[in-house]
Amino acid sequence: MNKEIKKIEDLYLVLKWEDIRKNLSFSERNALAELIRKVERGRKVLSCNKYIVCNQDEPYAEKVWQMILDGERAKLKGDGK
């Protein structure tokens, strides 16, 4: 994966619900749930974006990243919608 993609990748944290259930205790899941609710309340105030996640191991992942990068470049140039 190239450096430009790595920079974007580090902006986000993605947690899979299955991993949370498997690896956290009941009290840890409750604490995480409260933190998530707090973040969600803050996001509602700010009208934040929603996101789509792509697994890096998928054969189409590089194409998806390239589309994202092309879209970000277009926004910077003022060509984006």
Side-chain angles (χ1 to χ4, degrees):
M1 191 161 298
N2 69 40
K3 290 180 184 177
E4 190 172 13
I5 291 174
K6 182 65 175 159
K7 289 178 190 173
I8 291 173
E9 180 182 339
D10 289 344
L11 294 177
Y12 305 98
L13 167 68
V14 177
L15 299 173
K16 189 174 174 183
W17 287 112
E18 180 182 359
D19 293 338
I20 291 169
R21 284 189 293 275
K22 284 182 181 178
N23 296 294
L24 299 182
S25 69
F26 181 78
S27 61
E28 289 170 330
R29 289 193 304 270
N30 284 339
L32 179 60
E34 182 53 39
L35 293 170
I36 290 169
R37 282 190 290 274
K38 187 173 184 176
V39 170
E40 287 174 339
R41 285 191 300 270
R43 290 178 61 87
K44 284 180 184 176
V45 170
L46 299 173
S47 300
C48 291
N49 297 327
K50 294 186 178 186
Y51 300 92
I52 296 171
V53 176
C54 175
N55 185 335
Q56 291 179 0
D57 296 333
E58 296 294 343
Y60 50 80
E62 282 294 325
K63 290 180 184 177
V64 171
W65 274 118
Q66 194 57 55
M67 290 173 63
I68 292 168
L69 292 172
D70 291 346
E72 292 300 310
R73 283 188 201 104
K75 285 194 298 188
L76 290 173
K77 292 180 182 176
D79 299 338
K81 293 181 181 180

